[in-house]
Amino acid sequence: MNLKKPPAVSGNACRQLDTVFLKLVKCSVWRLKIYAIIETGGKQYRVEPGATLRVADLKVEPGATVELDRVLLISSGEQVKVGTPTVAGAKVLAAVKAEGKARKVVVFKYKPKVRYRRKTGHRQPFTELAVSQIVDGEETAAKPAT
């Protein structure tokens, strides 16, 4: 068996990669993303305009618009607003794309030596949302993407 030694990476190449990475981190495009952290169904989600997400079942028909007012944080570029516990007047507008059920989770109970076996399943209902707008307390943070 012929094993070759991998080529050594010079220190100069590592330094070049580090400088490229630092330039990406310092890039203003990364810092100017507009996003919000919302709470619905007992869970927290990070949302951006144009994003889609699956939340717990909201009992709303597809095509309707939903207003999520439990906004915990809003970041618009350099400015970050953190609520105590929510940001006053802030809301996220989203359109309901679909309702459905998640993949089945199999629940199997078993006790040895007593012939006890129970197999059941569960499919969690969800609502799929398309975030269209993040509204700040005093002004609109993001308009719908076209």
Side-chain angles (χ1 to χ4, degrees), residues 4-135:
K4 291 186 178 180
K5 194 174 184 181
V9 178
S10 67
N12 190 25
C14 287
R15 272 185 247 115
Q16 287 175 347
L17 288 174
D18 286 345
T19 56
V20 169
F21 180 73
L22 287 174
K23 285 180 183 176
L24 285 174
V25 170
K26 292 179 182 177
C27 181
S28 63
V29 175
W30 281 21
R31 289 183 286 157
L32 294 178
K33 282 202 170 184
I34 298 167
Y35 67 91
I37 296 180
I38 62 168
E39 182 182 359
T40 179
K43 296 179 183 173
Q44 296 177 3
Y45 301 92
R46 182 183 188 271
V47 296
E48 298 174 357
T52 60
L53 68 146
R54 287 184 173 183
V55 298
D57 198 18
L58 295 177
K59 305 290 184 198
V60 182
E61 295 182 13
T65 303
V66 177
E67 187 176 294
L68 304 167
D69 57 350
R70 295 251 334 143
V71 180
L72 306 176
L73 179 138
I74 289 182
S75 173
S76 56
E78 299 287 329
Q79 185 181 13
V80 177
K81 287 187 179 179
V82 180
T84 54
T86 60
V87 179
K91 58 187 171 184
V92 173
L93 301 177
V96 178
K97 288 177 71 176
E99 286 187 331
K101 289 184 179 180
R103 293 182 61 186
K104 183 176 278 192
V105 177
V106 176
V107 180
F108 188 74
K109 298 178 182 178
Y110 171 78
K111 293 185 181 177
K113 301 175 188 167
V114 292
R115 295 182 183 171
Y116 178 83
R117 291 167 182 86
R118 301 290 182 267
K119 182 179 178 182
T120 59
H122 174 72
R123 294 183 68 189
Q124 185 70 30
F126 67 86
T127 302
E128 190 169 334
L129 301 176
V131 178
S132 59
Q133 191 174 5
I134 297 173
V135 179

